[in-house]
Amino acid sequence: MKASFSDKMFYTFNYTMLTLIGLSCLLPLLHIVSLSFSESHAIHSGFVSIWPVGWELESYRVLFDNTRVIPALWNSVQITVVGTVLSMIATTLTAYPLSRNYFYGRRVFTLAMVFTMMFGSGLIPHYLVMKQYGLIDSYWVLWLPSLINTYNVLVMRTFFDNIPEEIDEAGRMDGCGEWTHLIRIVLPLSMPVIATLTLFNAVGYWNSFMNVLIYINDTEKYNLMVMIQQMIKKDSVLSEVMALQPGDIADVTGEGIKAAGIMVVVIPMLIIYPFLQRYFVKGVMLGSVKG
């Protein structure tokens, strides 16, 4: 069907706006990448835009050799991996029974969970509760309160609800119990929602900032996000690094080190996303039920 003039105008406007929005997100990232790989004199002179000038890795070398970025990176990996695994297990085990029609009281439990989305305890009561349980200065203070996200549970429960009943009945006829049915039938069919929620949880834990800043007092347990934020906040970052290794980092700038730190924060999520992207668009249910 041939597109009308109004359709062409709409498509042109739509593509133009999407392109501008995409560039507004991409250009700042390209600028940070360029700063992290550029020579110090180019950064000082303001010649760096979206393409590196000089192409060198001194900023990264100084960042990894003279700051606590590696311990902070390890802390972030611990927080993200353990938190994501625990959250996905808890979310799955909560959503599955709520999706079963024969689960007694599932409507009551669902309404109780939705109620928690409308009201919050506030920062100070939450802090006092965490302190009362002895979770301050422990990563459990990050994991336990975020173990179950009501929105994620509702999304997964809805996906489980959409699995055709014929599949459930076929599994029951083959003698599947609840655990076997969940692990061998439901979860393989639910990879799109599992991948999506895994990415949401991983990004949330990786970007943990306020909770770490409030509940973690030991600087040795700071994650990468807090460490990089403090580095960016301090204008004296280069002088502090030079005090540790004087004369060895004359060819770097504070802006270059900060940019390198930002890239260390961003790169892991950019690496993980392509591996999960295919599940977002994969029609895993297509053809699973044949008439």
Side-chain angles (χ1 to χ4, degrees), residues 84 88 191-203 268-282:
T84 301
M88 289 306 301
M191 287 308 298
V193 71
I194 291 174
T196 302
L197 296 183
T198 297
L199 183 62
F200 287 169
N201 282 313
V203 171
M269 291 296 107
L270 294 180
I271 294 175
I272 292 175
Y273 180 79
F275 293 98
L276 299 178
Q277 183 185 15
R278 65 190 182 98
Y279 291 109
F280 298 163
V281 295
K282 181 180 179 182

Side-chain angles (χ1 to χ4, degrees), residues 3-268:
S4 64
F5 177 76
S6 59
D7 290 337
K8 293 179 180 179
M9 291 295 296
F10 171 77
Y11 293 145
T12 301
F13 176 78
N14 196 22
Y15 289 139
T16 302
M17 291 301 300
L18 290 176
T19 301
L20 293 176
I21 294 173
L23 290 176
S24 68
C25 298
L26 182 61
L27 292 179
L29 179 61
L30 292 179
H31 179 63
I32 295 298
V33 174
S34 300
L35 286 176
S36 67
F37 286 107
S38 296
E39 296 178 347
S40 59
H41 69 85
I43 298 175
H44 279 306
S45 303
F47 293 151
V48 182
S49 56
I50 61 173
W51 191 257
V53 178
W55 284 98
E56 64 177 22
L57 299 175
E58 278 299 304
S59 295
Y60 289 94
R61 185 188 67 80
V62 172
L63 178 70
F64 282 98
D65 290 347
N66 301 289
T67 67
R68 295 194 64 260
V69 68
I70 293 181
L73 178 61
W74 172 241
N75 292 340
S76 291
V77 171
Q78 291 184 74
I79 294 171
T80 302
V81 172
V82 176
T84 301
V85 171
L86 293 177
S87 293
M88 289 306 301
I89 292 175
T91 300
T92 302
L93 296 181
T94 304
Y96 178 71
L98 293 177
S99 67
R100 304 297 93 183
N101 293 327
Y102 49 83
F103 177 59
Y104 181 76
R106 72 170 188 154
R107 183 180 298 273
V108 175
F109 286 107
T110 302
L111 291 176
M113 294 185 64
V114 172
F115 181 81
T116 64
M117 300 177 67
M118 304 177 184
F119 302 95
S121 61
L123 177 60
I124 295 178
H126 190 272
Y127 182 88
L128 294 177
V129 170
M130 296 299 105
K131 184 177 180 180
Q132 184 68 28
Y133 281 106
L135 299 178
I136 300 298
D137 233 15
S138 168
Y139 289 150
W140 286 104
V141 77
L142 307 176
W143 296 330
L144 287 180
S146 304
L147 200 60
I148 294 180
N149 182 286
T150 303
Y151 175 79
N152 292 346
V153 171
L154 295 178
V155 170
M156 184 171 284
R157 190 207 67 170
T158 302
F159 193 94
F160 290 166
D161 279 336
N162 291 331
I163 296 178
E165 294 182 1
E166 291 83 352
I167 294 181
D168 288 350
E169 294 173 359
R172 305 299 178 192
M173 292 177 63
D174 290 338
C176 289
E178 293 296 342
W179 285 104
T180 304
H181 185 263
L182 172 63
I183 295 173
R184 302 189 63 179
I185 297 179
V186 175
L187 293 185
L189 292 174
S190 305
M191 287 308 298
V193 71
I194 291 174
T196 302
L197 296 183
T198 297
L199 183 62
F200 287 169
N201 282 313
V203 171
Y205 282 112
W206 183 263
N207 291 333
S208 295
F209 173 69
M210 284 302 299
N211 288 340
V212 175
L213 204 61
I214 293 172
Y215 301 115
I216 303 297
N217 300 321
D218 187 359
T219 56
E220 299 292 325
K221 295 183 178 181
Y222 279 174
N223 64 346
L224 192 60
M225 193 64 64
V226 174
M227 195 214 77
I228 297 300
Q229 185 272 342
Q230 293 184 343
M231 180 185 299
I232 295 174
K233 185 178 179 180
K234 296 179 180 179
D235 294 331
S236 59
V237 59
L238 182 59
S239 61
E240 292 180 3
V241 173
M242 291 183 65
L244 299 176
Q245 295 290 335
D248 189 35
I249 54 174
D251 295 331
V252 298
T253 65
E255 292 301 318
I257 298 175
K258 293 175 184 178
I262 294 173
M263 290 308 303
V264 172
V265 173
V266 172
I267 286 175

